[in-house]
Amino acid sequence: MAIFNEAFLAALLSGALIAAVPLILAGLGEQMSERAGVMNIGLEGMMLAGAFGGFSATLAGWGIWGGLGAGALTGAAVAVIMVIFCVRQGMNQIITGIAITLGATGVTSLMHNAWFARSYPRLDAAERIALPGLSQIPVIGPGLFTHHPATWAALALALAFAAVYRHSFLGLNLAAAGEKPDALDVAGIDVVRTRSAAVLVAGAMAGLGGAYMAVVGSGIFVPHMTGGAGYIAIVLAMLARDRATWVVGGGVLFGLCLAATTALQVAGIEVPTDFIQMLPFLAVMAVLVLFGRSARLPSALGQPYHRGQR
Protein backbone atom coordinates (compact mmCIF):
# COMPACT_ATOMS: atom_id res chain seq x y z
CA MET A 1 0.00 0.00 0.00
CA ALA A 2 1.18 3.54 -0.69
CA ILE A 3 0.77 4.57 2.92
CA PHE A 4 3.54 2.17 3.98
CA ASN A 5 6.25 4.54 2.87
CA GLU A 6 9.59 5.37 4.47
CA ALA A 7 8.14 8.01 6.81
CA PHE A 8 5.37 5.70 8.00
CA LEU A 9 7.76 2.82 8.71
CA ALA A 10 10.17 5.13 10.55
CA ALA A 11 7.30 6.39 12.70
CA LEU A 12 6.24 2.80 13.38
CA LEU A 13 9.75 1.87 14.56
CA SER A 14 9.98 4.99 16.69
CA GLY A 15 6.62 4.26 18.28
CA ALA A 16 7.62 0.65 18.89
CA LEU A 17 10.75 1.68 20.79
CA ILE A 18 8.89 4.28 22.85
CA ALA A 19 6.23 1.68 23.72
CA ALA A 20 8.93 -0.90 24.50
CA VAL A 21 10.92 1.15 27.02
CA PRO A 22 8.32 1.01 29.85
CA LEU A 23 8.01 -2.76 29.33
CA ILE A 24 11.79 -3.15 29.37
CA LEU A 25 12.25 -1.11 32.55
CA ALA A 26 9.44 -2.85 34.43
CA GLY A 27 10.51 -6.24 33.07
CA LEU A 28 14.08 -5.74 34.31
CA GLY A 29 12.77 -4.87 37.76
CA GLU A 30 10.44 -7.88 37.85
CA GLN A 31 13.28 -10.11 36.70
CA MET A 32 15.40 -9.05 39.67
CA SER A 33 12.49 -9.54 42.06
CA GLU A 34 11.73 -13.01 40.73
CA ARG A 35 15.42 -13.91 40.74
CA ALA A 36 15.41 -13.17 44.48
CA GLY A 37 12.27 -15.28 45.00
CA VAL A 38 9.48 -12.66 45.09
CA MET A 39 6.68 -12.66 42.51
CA ASN A 40 5.72 -8.99 42.19
CA ILE A 41 2.17 -9.08 40.82
CA GLY A 42 1.77 -5.47 41.94
CA LEU A 43 3.99 -4.26 39.09
CA GLU A 44 1.03 -2.73 37.24
CA GLY A 45 0.10 -0.63 40.25
CA MET A 46 3.69 0.51 40.74
CA MET A 47 3.84 1.59 37.10
CA LEU A 48 0.61 3.58 37.49
CA ALA A 49 1.90 5.24 40.66
CA GLY A 50 5.18 6.07 38.93
CA ALA A 51 3.33 7.51 35.94
CA PHE A 52 1.27 9.81 38.16
CA GLY A 53 4.24 10.81 40.31
CA GLY A 54 6.47 11.46 37.31
CA PHE A 55 3.83 13.44 35.46
CA SER A 56 2.99 15.56 38.50
CA ALA A 57 6.66 16.32 39.23
CA THR A 58 7.37 17.27 35.62
CA LEU A 59 4.29 19.47 35.50
CA ALA A 60 5.48 21.16 38.71
CA GLY A 61 8.67 22.22 36.97
CA TRP A 62 11.11 19.45 37.87
CA GLY A 63 11.97 18.79 34.25
CA ILE A 64 11.94 15.45 32.45
CA TRP A 65 14.82 13.93 34.40
CA GLY A 66 13.32 15.13 37.66
CA GLY A 67 9.98 13.63 36.68
CA LEU A 68 11.60 10.30 35.84
CA GLY A 69 13.38 10.32 39.20
CA ALA A 70 10.14 11.14 41.00
CA GLY A 71 8.42 8.27 39.21
CA ALA A 72 11.14 5.86 40.33
CA LEU A 73 10.86 7.06 43.93
CA THR A 74 7.07 6.74 43.83
CA GLY A 75 7.30 3.19 42.52
CA ALA A 76 9.82 2.28 45.22
CA ALA A 77 7.55 3.81 47.88
CA VAL A 78 4.67 1.60 46.75
CA ALA A 79 7.02 -1.40 46.73
CA VAL A 80 7.60 -0.86 50.46
CA ILE A 81 4.13 -2.34 50.95
CA MET A 82 5.26 -5.53 49.24
CA VAL A 83 8.42 -5.59 51.36
CA ILE A 84 6.55 -5.22 54.64
CA PHE A 85 3.71 -7.64 54.02
CA CYS A 86 5.33 -10.28 51.78
CA VAL A 87 9.07 -10.31 52.42
CA ARG A 88 9.01 -9.55 56.13
CA GLN A 89 5.58 -10.82 57.22
CA GLY A 90 5.37 -13.76 54.81
CA MET A 91 1.93 -12.97 53.41
CA ASN A 92 0.74 -14.31 50.07
CA GLN A 93 2.60 -12.49 47.29
CA ILE A 94 -0.12 -12.83 44.65
CA ILE A 95 -2.93 -11.53 46.87
CA THR A 96 -0.79 -8.65 48.10
CA GLY A 97 0.27 -7.77 44.55
CA ILE A 98 -3.33 -7.69 43.35
CA ALA A 99 -4.27 -5.48 46.29
CA ILE A 100 -1.42 -3.09 45.45
CA THR A 101 -2.55 -2.82 41.84
CA LEU A 102 -6.18 -2.23 42.78
CA GLY A 103 -5.18 0.30 45.41
CA ALA A 104 -2.82 2.20 43.11
CA THR A 105 -5.45 2.24 40.37
CA GLY A 106 -8.02 3.73 42.70
CA VAL A 107 -5.70 6.27 44.32
CA THR A 108 -4.24 7.57 41.05
CA SER A 109 -7.72 7.82 39.50
CA LEU A 110 -8.98 9.74 42.53
CA MET A 111 -6.00 12.12 42.57
CA HIS A 112 -6.26 12.66 38.81
CA ASN A 113 -9.94 13.51 39.18
CA ALA A 114 -9.15 15.95 41.99
CA TRP A 115 -6.20 17.68 40.33
CA PHE A 116 -6.42 17.34 36.58
CA ALA A 117 -9.91 16.25 35.52
CA ARG A 118 -11.04 19.78 34.60
CA SER A 119 -7.92 20.92 32.76
CA TYR A 120 -6.21 17.77 31.44
CA PRO A 121 -2.81 19.50 31.26
CA ARG A 122 -0.20 18.28 28.80
CA LEU A 123 3.57 18.39 28.99
CA ASP A 124 5.75 19.81 26.27
CA ALA A 125 7.06 17.18 23.86
CA ALA A 126 10.27 15.55 25.07
CA GLU A 127 13.34 16.74 23.21
CA ARG A 128 14.71 14.25 20.71
CA ILE A 129 18.42 13.98 19.94
CA ALA A 130 19.69 12.42 16.71
CA LEU A 131 22.79 10.27 17.01
CA PRO A 132 25.34 11.51 14.45
CA GLY A 133 25.70 9.18 11.48
CA LEU A 134 23.26 6.53 12.67
CA SER A 135 20.27 8.84 12.44
CA GLN A 136 20.92 9.28 8.72
CA ILE A 137 20.19 5.64 7.90
CA PRO A 138 16.90 5.42 5.96
CA VAL A 139 13.92 4.25 8.04
CA ILE A 140 16.06 2.79 10.85
CA GLY A 141 17.88 6.06 11.56
CA PRO A 142 14.90 8.29 12.40
CA GLY A 143 13.03 5.31 13.87
CA LEU A 144 15.66 4.00 16.30
CA PHE A 145 18.36 6.64 16.65
CA THR A 146 16.37 9.86 17.13
CA HIS A 147 15.01 9.81 20.67
CA HIS A 148 15.21 11.40 24.08
CA PRO A 149 18.40 10.28 25.90
CA ALA A 150 16.25 8.51 28.52
CA THR A 151 15.37 5.96 25.84
CA TRP A 152 18.98 4.94 25.34
CA ALA A 153 19.63 5.10 29.08
CA ALA A 154 16.89 2.49 29.56
CA LEU A 155 18.60 0.16 27.09
CA ALA A 156 21.94 0.73 28.84
CA LEU A 157 20.31 -0.34 32.12
CA ALA A 158 19.68 -3.77 30.60
CA LEU A 159 23.41 -4.16 30.01
CA ALA A 160 24.08 -3.05 33.59
CA PHE A 161 21.64 -5.62 34.97
CA ALA A 162 23.23 -8.33 32.84
CA ALA A 163 26.67 -7.41 34.18
CA VAL A 164 25.40 -7.55 37.77
CA TYR A 165 23.92 -11.01 37.27
CA ARG A 166 27.00 -12.46 35.62
CA HIS A 167 29.96 -10.70 37.19
CA SER A 168 29.13 -9.72 40.77
CA PHE A 169 28.51 -11.24 44.18
CA LEU A 170 25.20 -9.40 44.25
CA GLY A 171 24.06 -11.44 41.27
CA LEU A 172 25.04 -14.65 43.05
CA ASN A 173 23.25 -13.58 46.21
CA LEU A 174 20.07 -12.78 44.28
CA ALA A 175 20.15 -16.17 42.57
CA ALA A 176 20.70 -17.93 45.89
CA ALA A 177 17.83 -16.03 47.52
CA GLY A 178 15.51 -17.41 44.85
CA GLU A 179 16.92 -20.91 44.54
CA LYS A 180 18.41 -21.89 47.92
CA PRO A 181 17.63 -19.23 50.51
CA ASP A 182 18.61 -21.54 53.37
CA ALA A 183 22.10 -21.92 51.88
CA LEU A 184 22.41 -18.15 51.57
CA ASP A 185 21.36 -17.85 55.21
CA VAL A 186 24.02 -20.34 56.27
CA ALA A 187 26.61 -18.32 54.35
CA GLY A 188 25.82 -15.34 56.57
CA ILE A 189 23.87 -13.29 54.01
CA ASP A 190 20.55 -11.86 55.16
CA VAL A 191 17.92 -13.35 52.84
CA VAL A 192 15.21 -10.93 53.94
CA ARG A 193 17.45 -7.94 53.30
CA THR A 194 18.46 -9.29 49.89
CA ARG A 195 14.85 -9.87 48.85
CA SER A 196 13.77 -6.49 50.23
CA ALA A 197 16.41 -4.71 48.15
CA ALA A 198 15.34 -6.62 45.03
CA VAL A 199 11.67 -5.70 45.52
CA LEU A 200 12.53 -2.04 46.07
CA VAL A 201 14.59 -2.01 42.87
CA ALA A 202 11.68 -3.67 41.06
CA GLY A 203 9.32 -0.98 42.32
CA ALA A 204 11.71 1.79 41.30
CA MET A 205 12.13 0.30 37.81
CA ALA A 206 8.36 -0.12 37.41
CA GLY A 207 7.80 3.46 38.57
CA LEU A 208 10.49 4.64 36.17
CA GLY A 209 8.76 2.78 33.34
CA GLY A 210 5.43 4.36 34.20
CA ALA A 211 7.02 7.80 34.42
CA TYR A 212 8.65 7.32 31.03
CA MET A 213 5.26 6.39 29.59
CA ALA A 214 3.63 9.56 30.93
CA VAL A 215 6.49 12.06 30.63
CA VAL A 216 8.39 11.00 27.52
CA GLY A 217 5.93 8.79 25.70
CA SER A 218 2.62 10.63 25.86
CA GLY A 219 3.10 13.85 27.82
CA ILE A 220 -0.14 13.29 29.73
CA PHE A 221 -1.54 11.20 32.56
CA VAL A 222 -4.92 9.51 32.36
CA PRO A 223 -6.34 6.85 34.69
CA HIS A 224 -5.49 3.25 33.75
CA MET A 225 -2.98 4.51 31.19
CA THR A 226 -0.62 1.54 31.63
CA GLY A 227 -3.28 -0.69 30.07
CA GLY A 228 -1.83 -3.99 31.30
CA ALA A 229 1.81 -3.12 30.57
CA GLY A 230 2.80 -4.33 34.04
CA TYR A 231 1.40 -7.79 33.36
CA ILE A 232 3.16 -7.95 30.01
CA ALA A 233 6.39 -7.02 31.82
CA ILE A 234 5.85 -9.95 34.21
CA VAL A 235 5.54 -12.29 31.24
CA LEU A 236 8.74 -10.85 29.76
CA ALA A 237 10.62 -11.43 33.00
CA MET A 238 9.39 -15.01 33.33
CA LEU A 239 10.29 -15.93 29.76
CA ALA A 240 13.67 -14.17 29.84
CA ARG A 241 14.67 -16.10 32.97
CA ASP A 242 18.05 -14.73 34.07
CA ARG A 243 18.96 -13.05 30.77
CA ALA A 244 18.45 -9.30 31.02
CA THR A 245 19.10 -8.74 27.32
CA TRP A 246 16.21 -11.06 26.47
CA VAL A 247 13.90 -8.62 28.25
CA VAL A 248 14.96 -5.99 25.71
CA GLY A 249 14.20 -8.27 22.76
CA GLY A 250 10.81 -9.23 24.14
CA GLY A 251 10.01 -5.63 25.02
CA VAL A 252 10.73 -4.48 21.47
CA LEU A 253 8.54 -7.28 20.09
CA PHE A 254 5.59 -6.32 22.25
CA GLY A 255 6.32 -2.64 21.69
CA LEU A 256 5.97 -3.24 17.98
CA CYS A 257 2.57 -4.81 18.58
CA LEU A 258 1.50 -1.84 20.72
CA ALA A 259 2.72 0.64 18.11
CA ALA A 260 0.95 -1.30 15.37
CA THR A 261 -2.40 -0.77 17.10
CA THR A 262 -2.02 2.97 16.60
CA ALA A 263 -0.36 2.73 13.19
CA LEU A 264 -3.14 0.59 11.71
CA GLN A 265 -5.78 3.02 12.90
CA VAL A 266 -3.85 6.02 11.52
CA ALA A 267 -3.37 4.18 8.24
CA GLY A 268 -7.13 3.80 7.93
CA ILE A 269 -6.96 0.04 7.46
CA GLU A 270 -10.41 -1.45 7.93
CA VAL A 271 -9.73 -3.74 10.85
CA PRO A 272 -12.14 -3.89 13.82
CA THR A 273 -10.91 -1.61 16.60
CA ASP A 274 -11.43 -4.31 19.23
CA PHE A 275 -9.17 -6.68 17.32
CA ILE A 276 -6.46 -4.02 16.96
CA GLN A 277 -6.51 -3.34 20.70
CA MET A 278 -6.30 -7.08 21.39
CA LEU A 279 -3.15 -7.48 19.28
CA PRO A 280 -0.57 -7.04 22.08
CA PHE A 281 -2.37 -9.50 24.32
CA LEU A 282 -2.78 -12.01 21.50
CA ALA A 283 1.00 -11.75 21.06
CA VAL A 284 1.47 -12.44 24.78
CA MET A 285 -0.69 -15.57 24.61
CA ALA A 286 1.11 -16.79 21.48
CA VAL A 287 4.51 -16.34 23.15
CA LEU A 288 3.32 -18.16 26.27
CA VAL A 289 2.05 -21.07 24.20
CA LEU A 290 5.30 -21.32 22.22
CA PHE A 291 7.83 -20.69 24.97
CA GLY A 292 6.01 -20.90 28.30
CA ARG A 293 7.01 -24.47 29.02
CA SER A 294 10.69 -23.68 28.64
CA ALA A 295 10.54 -20.86 31.20
CA ARG A 296 12.41 -21.97 34.31
CA LEU A 297 11.49 -20.10 37.48
CA PRO A 298 13.47 -20.04 40.75
CA SER A 299 12.60 -22.99 42.97
CA ALA A 300 11.81 -20.79 45.98
CA LEU A 301 9.77 -18.24 44.01
CA GLY A 302 6.73 -17.13 45.99
CA GLN A 303 7.82 -18.89 49.17
CA PRO A 304 8.25 -16.72 52.28
CA TYR A 305 11.48 -17.04 54.24
CA HIS A 306 12.53 -16.04 57.73
CA ARG A 307 16.09 -15.89 58.92
CA GLY A 308 17.20 -19.05 60.66
CA GLN A 309 14.47 -21.13 59.03
CA ARG A 310 15.56 -24.48 57.56
Side-chain angles (χ1 to χ4, degrees), residues 198-211:
V199 172
L200 289 177
V201 170
M205 293 293 287
L208 183 59

Side-chain angles (χ1 to χ4, degrees), residues 166-192:
R166 291 179 176 271
H167 305 295
S168 72
F169 286 109
L170 176 59
L172 294 176
N173 291 344
L174 289 169
E179 293 286 353
K180 296 289 184 181
D182 53 343
L184 187 64
D185 197 357
V186 170
I189 306 298
D190 193 326
V191 176
V192 172

Side-chain angles (χ1 to χ4, degrees), residues 46 75-87 96 99-100 199-200:
M46 295 172 193
V78 176
V80 171
I81 301 173
M82 178 73 74
V83 170
I84 293 174
F85 288 103
C86 295
V87 180
T96 304
I100 288 173
V199 172
L200 289 177

Side-chain angles (χ1 to χ4, degrees), residues 38-267:
V38 180
M39 176 68 78
N40 191 353
I41 300 296
L43 208 67
E44 177 85 0
M46 295 172 193
M47 289 188 74
L48 264 177
F52 184 83
F55 175 79
S56 300
T58 306
L59 189 65
W62 289 25
I64 289 179
W65 291 106
L68 293 175
L73 290 176
T74 305
V78 176
V80 171
I81 301 173
M82 178 73 74
V83 170
I84 293 174
F85 288 103
C86 295
V87 180
R88 298 187 177 273
Q89 300 298 324
M91 295 179 63
N92 187 284
Q93 295 174 9
I94 295 178
I95 294 176
T96 304
I98 293 173
I100 288 173
T101 295
L102 293 176
T105 301
V107 169
T108 54
S109 297
L110 180 64
M111 295 181 72
H112 172 270
N113 184 63
W115 292 1
F116 307 131
R118 295 184 179 181
S119 58
Y120 273 91
R122 296 190 66 93
L123 302 174
D124 294 334
E127 179 186 6
R128 294 193 174 199
I129 296 177
L131 292 180
L134 295 175
S135 61
Q136 305 303 317
I137 302 174
V139 180
I140 296 178
L144 301 182
F145 301 113
T146 306
H147 287 277
H148 188 274
T151 303
W152 301 312
L155 301 180
L157 278 175
L159 299 178
F161 273 60
V164 167
Y165 294 154
R166 291 179 176 271
H167 305 295
S168 72
F169 286 109
L170 176 59
L172 294 176
N173 291 344
L174 289 169
E179 293 286 353
K180 296 289 184 181
D182 53 343
L184 187 64
D185 197 357
V186 170
I189 306 298
D190 193 326
V191 176
V192 172
R193 184 175 297 175
T194 302
R195 288 185 169 183
S196 298
V199 172
L200 289 177
V201 170
M205 293 293 287
L208 183 59
Y212 179 96
M213 184 181 293
V215 174
V216 179
S218 63
I220 193 172
F221 177 87
V222 294
H224 314 284
M225 70 176 297
T226 50
Y231 299 112
I232 296 177
I234 293 173
V235 173
L236 284 178
M238 294 175 66
L239 296 179
R241 293 173 286 183
D242 59 345
R243 298 175 176 86
T245 52
W246 284 27
V247 176
V248 176
V252 172
L253 173 64
F254 290 120
L256 188 61
C257 293
L258 290 168
T261 61
T262 301
L264 290 175
Q265 290 175 327
V266 172

Side-chain angles (χ1 to χ4, degrees), residues 13-24:
L13 285 178
S14 179
L17 187 56
I18 291 173
V21 167
L23 301 177
I24 292 170

